């Protein structure tokens, strides 16, 4: 069953009212009050499956949210797939009321996939001009209060920023029609359905991670900063350690007024001092023999800590013992996640000591070993490459098979093939890799040629790359102009090769992101199925007694779990990884092993 959450439409044929006592629907059952929320019950094909359920506004702050949560909780017993405009607008409200849903269909995320997929491009719906649905953006988490404000008025409690003309029932039916007619690859419709389901499940995971929060000890974090930078300074003053390094840098460059935080000023001072660098990148500074190098590199490292995860970050992002990441599902064109704040995808190892499990609980940390090479083997159905990764280290397996001499050579060769390395050791190893694993190398080479021709490539489940932009088009046109110069032709070749490298990696990175989504979706369900623990943690309901995801980074997850369930969680992590591989590649035998560590502090996982 599908249960569509929406604002009420002017005409409602039938409904089961859920209203405050002051509003008696018996007087006019066909005229619900303004601001009523509507649950439309549909069958899986989009046809009517039951009377609508209306949740009327009125009452005190948060009253309608409480009634909506009650309706959702009751209907959840029938395992519906909840359908809504956008998970960021609906699910945080339910979580705040302690309600978890098993599955959903996120219309905004699904539309982005289906409108761009090569497998739906022939449909009239996909060819339509962009409209209000395409303009819908996720609601930033800082605009969604964790609990209703005490003085909030919910008289008209339709989710914010959703234009009234967006009809989720009509949009769902259009998407179901497009999914049913997808073509271009064997099983295109089923693959796209899996992608839409996995992407929607990812949106649930992202909302739940933010709701539960990553356990964070602010006192440990403050101690880390104090040890590295000195005591917390007053506003506008550098920490003592940074100021001492700044003095050393000024002395070494004979630049008493230098502000080392300004890259242009720093580069000028380096030039005046005769330091032959064109940037302040670490590799370039390390190639220079000059007294400024050591303090400058140390300053850069500490400045990064101070600005990215210093006291201001701690004040802004850690509350009630939790860091709540702002994930943006599908925020990168390949399908990888991004963040809208807080730097969740760049937590440095130096601050991970502050990530500490609740008393009686542990962190179970898992990461997928060599994910992208294994995905490449599955995409290409390269049996020899898949065999190299069975039962252990894929790179060492390539060495054992005689494809290359050392593990480092295997890694360099595979990464070069996936990312388009054409110089140095990558170029030397390429012929050997192509001879040993011809199917894998042929797949990424074909993807590169497609991109160089200005065409699109598609992941295993149907996410499609964008077409090259104006710069690519201009460079190609300029190269064929009668007045084209050698420089124009060179620029065209450069942009052509660059786009080929993008599409070469898109198919692998995008499919790896799909594997990760399937891992998260499977893991989320299996964790919830574990028996609740006796010991309660500090995470808000509905996660106070059950293992739950608290962090995700491309191919790594962190689960916060009662200590007594740690072994069960580890088993679920491995089983879910294997299931994700089967969902993507069926019976083709490519292994997806994960390394699992059970720790009290995230810093101890690696």
């Amino acid at each position: 069953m599908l249960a569509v959450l929406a604002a009420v439409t002017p005409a409602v044929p039938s409904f089961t009212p859920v209203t405050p006592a002051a509003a008696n629907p018996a007087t006019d059952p066909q005229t619900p009050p303004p601001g009523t929320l509507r649950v439309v019950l549909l069958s899986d094909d989009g046809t009517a499956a039951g009377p609508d359920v209306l949740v009327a506004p009125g009452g005190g702050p948060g009253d309608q949210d409480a009634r909506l949560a009650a309706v959702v909780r009751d209907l959840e017993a029938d395992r519906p797939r909840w359908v809504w405009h956008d998970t960021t607008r609906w699910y945080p409200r339910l979580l705040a009321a302690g309600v978890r849903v098993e599955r959903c269909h996120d219309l905004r995320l699904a539309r982005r996939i289906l409108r761009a997929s090569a497998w739906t491009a022939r449909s009239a719906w996909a060819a339509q001009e962009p409209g209000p649905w395409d303009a819908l953006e996720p609601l930033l988490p800082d605009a969604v209060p964790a609990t209703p404000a005490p003085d909030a008025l919910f008289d008209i409690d339709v989710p914010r920023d959703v234009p009234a003309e967006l009809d989720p029932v009509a949009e769902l039916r259009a998407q179901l029609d497009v999914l049913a007619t997808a073509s271009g690859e064997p099983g295109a419709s089923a693959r796209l359905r899996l992608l839409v389901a996995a992407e929607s499940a990812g949106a649930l995971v992202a909302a739940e991670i933010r709701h539960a929060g990553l356990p964070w000890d602010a006192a440990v974090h403050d101690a880390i900063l104090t040890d590295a930078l000195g005591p917390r300074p007053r506003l506008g003053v550098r920490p003592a350690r940074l100021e001492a390094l700044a003095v050393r840098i000024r002395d070494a460059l004979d630049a008493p007024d230098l502000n080392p935080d300004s890259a242009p000023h720093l580069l000028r001072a380096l030039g005046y001092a005769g330091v032959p660098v064109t940037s302040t990148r670490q590799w370039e500074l390390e190639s220079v023999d000059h007294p400024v190098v050591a303090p400058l590199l140390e300053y850069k490292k500490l400045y990064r800590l101070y600005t990215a995860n210093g006291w201001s970050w701690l004040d802004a992002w850690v509350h009630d013992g939790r860091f709540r990441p702002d994930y943006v599902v599908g925020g990168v064109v390949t399908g990888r996640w991004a963040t809208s704040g807080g730097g969740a995808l760049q937590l440095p190892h130096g601050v991970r000591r502050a990530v500490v499990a609740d008393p009686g609980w542990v962190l179970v940390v898992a990461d997928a070993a060599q994910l992208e090479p294994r995905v490449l083997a599955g995409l290409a159905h390269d049996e020899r490459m898949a065999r190299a990764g069975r039962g252990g280290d894929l790179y060492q397996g390539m060495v054992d098979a005689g494809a290359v001499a050392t593990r480092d050579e295997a890694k360099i060769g595979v990464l070069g093939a996936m990312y388009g390395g054409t110089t140095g050791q990558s170029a030397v190893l390429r012929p050997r890799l192509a001879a040993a694993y011809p199917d894998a190398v042929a797949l990424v080479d074909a993807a590169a040629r497609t991109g160089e021709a200005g065409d699109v490539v598609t992941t295993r489940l149907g996410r499609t790359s964008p077409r090259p932009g104006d710069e690519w088009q201009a460079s190609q046109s300029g190269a064929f102009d009668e007045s084209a110069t050698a420089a124009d032709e060179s620029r065209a070749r450069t942009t052509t090769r660059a786009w080929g490298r993008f599409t070469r990696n898109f198919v692998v990175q995008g499919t790896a992101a799909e594997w990760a989504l399937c891992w998260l979706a499977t893991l989320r369900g299996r964790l919830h199925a574990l028996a609740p623990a006796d010991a309660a943690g500090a995470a808000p309901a509905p996660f106070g007694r059950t293992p739950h995801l608290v962090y995700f980074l491309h191919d790594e997850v962190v689960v916060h779990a009662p200590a007594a369930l740690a072994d069960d969680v580890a088993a679920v992590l491995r089983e879910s990884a294997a299931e994700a591989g089967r969902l993507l590649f069926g019976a083709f035998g490519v292994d997806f092993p994960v390394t699992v560590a059970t720790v009290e502090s995230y810093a101890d996982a690696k």
Side-chain angles (χ1 to χ4, degrees):
M1 181 177 70
L2 298 165
V4 187
L5 274 172
V8 73
T9 54
V12 181
S14 64
F15 62 87
T16 301
V18 180
T19 63
N24 183 1
T27 58
D28 189 2
Q30 297 301 320
T31 309
T36 300
L37 300 179
R38 177 188 183 196
V39 181
V40 182
L41 302 179
L42 303 173
S43 62
D44 288 342
D45 62 1
T47 57
D52 296 351
V53 179
L54 297 191
V55 184
D63 186 61
Q64 188 183 44
D65 273 13
R67 293 196 304 277
L68 176 63
V71 169
V72 172
R73 187 183 285 110
D74 288 344
L75 290 174
E76 186 67 16
D78 295 326
R79 300 186 67 247
R81 186 178 297 276
W82 292 93
V83 182
W84 42 48
H85 308 77
D86 167 47
T87 300
T88 66
R89 287 170 167 80
W90 289 99
Y91 198 34
R93 315 167 56 178
L94 298 174
L95 289 171
V99 176
R100 174 192 180 276
V101 303
E102 183 176 344
R103 53 188 187 161
C104 81
H105 178 102
D106 187 306
L107 291 168
R108 180 184 64 83
L109 291 174
R111 184 180 179 92
R112 289 177 57 194
I113 291 169
L114 297 177
R115 290 268 282 170
S117 178
W119 299 348
T120 59
R122 296 180 181 178
S123 69
W125 178 83
Q128 290 175 353
E129 290 297 316
W133 274 106
D134 300 288
L136 190 63
E137 294 291 338
L139 189 63
L140 296 180
D142 61 1
V144 184
T147 56
D151 58 346
L153 297 177
F154 290 87
D155 291 339
I156 301 179
D157 194 20
V158 175
R160 286 159 286 177
D161 300 333
V162 176
E165 67 267 28
L166 298 188
D167 182 349
V169 176
E171 176 67 13
L172 171 65
R173 287 172 173 156
Q175 291 187 12
L176 293 176
D177 287 344
V178 170
L179 281 166
T181 57
S183 61
E185 288 283 341
S189 179
R191 290 197 216 172
L192 272 174
R193 286 180 184 276
L194 175 57
L195 176 55
V196 167
E199 187 95 332
S200 297
L204 295 177
V205 170
E208 289 171 359
I209 288 177
R210 185 173 193 277
H211 176 75
L214 180 64
W216 202 282
D217 191 320
V220 171
H221 191 147
D222 178 73
I224 292 169
L225 296 175
T226 301
D227 182 62
L229 300 166
R232 181 171 185 169
R234 66 179 186 273
L235 189 65
V237 177
R238 283 193 188 91
R241 183 77 186 280
L242 278 178
E243 184 57 37
L245 288 168
V247 170
R248 291 177 57 191
I249 292 167
R250 295 184 189 113
D251 290 345
L253 296 177
D254 193 20
D257 297 325
L258 172 65
N259 175 12
D261 302 341
S262 169
H265 293 174
L266 181 58
L267 278 174
R268 275 200 300 271
L270 288 167
Y272 292 150
V275 182
V277 294
T278 58
S279 73
T280 59
R281 294 187 180 93
Q282 180 175 341
W283 66 268
E284 191 169 2
L285 288 170
E286 288 176 340
S287 68
V288 174
D289 182 14
H290 192 279
V292 77
V293 171
L296 182 52
L297 289 176
E298 181 70 6
Y299 187 95
K300 284 167 58 67
K301 182 181 74 172
L302 294 180
Y303 184 76
R304 171 65 181 169
L305 171 65
Y306 176 54
T307 56
N309 297 101
W311 289 281
S312 295
W313 181 92
L314 185 60
D315 292 344
W317 289 98
V318 177
H319 303 284
D320 302 321
R322 291 295 190 271
F323 164 49
R324 292 182 164 82
D326 286 357
Y327 288 116
V328 180
V329 177
V332 179
V333 69
T334 58
R336 278 189 165 193
W337 289 14
T339 62
S340 62
L345 299 178
Q346 295 178 330
L347 284 184
H349 286 278
V351 301
R352 292 186 180 186
R353 280 196 289 119
V355 182
V356 181
D358 292 344
W361 288 54
V362 292
L363 302 174
V364 188
V365 182
D367 68 279
Q370 302 146 348
L371 176 58
E372 290 192 357
R374 294 173 190 276
V375 162
L376 173 56
L379 275 172
H381 273 223
D382 194 312
E383 174 59 36
R384 283 173 284 187
M385 194 171 192
R387 191 184 308 126
R390 285 187 194 133
D393 186 334
L394 181 144
Y395 295 137
Q396 185 59 47
M398 295 170 69
V399 175
D400 296 342
V404 289
T406 67
R407 189 183 182 282
D408 284 346
E409 286 187 353
K411 185 174 182 178
I412 291 169
V414 171
L415 294 179
M418 292 192 300
Y419 289 90
T422 57
T423 59
Q425 199 171 6
S426 291
V428 173
L429 293 169
R430 181 180 176 78
R432 295 169 62 183
L433 201 70
Y437 309 108
D439 295 332
V441 174
L443 184 138
V444 288
D445 284 352
R449 289 194 297 273
T450 300
E452 290 172 357
D455 210 340
V456 298
V457 295
T458 302
T459 61
R460 173 69 179 170
L461 298 185
R463 197 185 302 268
T464 298
S465 66
R467 293 191 179 276
D470 293 342
E471 181 184 356
W472 188 92
Q473 299 289 351
S475 69
Q476 304 308 305
S477 300
F480 284 97
D481 192 272
E482 290 184 0
S483 60
T485 64
D488 293 328
E489 294 176 358
S490 176
R491 183 164 70 96
R493 287 192 297 269
T494 298
T495 55
T496 295
R497 286 194 296 267
W499 198 255
R501 286 192 296 272
F502 165 71
T503 52
R504 172 189 293 274
N505 184 244
F506 181 95
V507 292
V508 179
Q509 188 180 112
T511 303
E514 292 167 353
W515 179 91
L517 283 171
C518 291
W519 188 29
L520 288 173
T522 306
L523 176 60
R524 173 181 179 267
R526 294 187 181 196
L527 287 175
H528 185 69
L530 293 175
D534 293 333
F543 303 113
R545 293 185 180 274
T546 58
H548 51 276
L549 286 154
V550 291
Y551 187 60
F552 170 60
L553 179 62
H554 303 319
D555 57 3
E556 180 178 333
V557 298
V558 180
V559 176
H560 193 217
L565 297 179
D567 290 343
D568 294 332
V569 169
V572 163
L573 282 160
R574 295 186 176 98
E575 293 164 1
S576 300
E579 178 63 17
R582 287 190 291 270
L583 284 169
L584 256 69
F585 303 116
F588 181 73
V590 55
D591 287 354
F592 289 94
V594 294
T595 301
V596 181
T598 299
V599 296
E600 291 186 0
S601 170
Y602 189 17
D604 296 331
K606 291 184 179 180

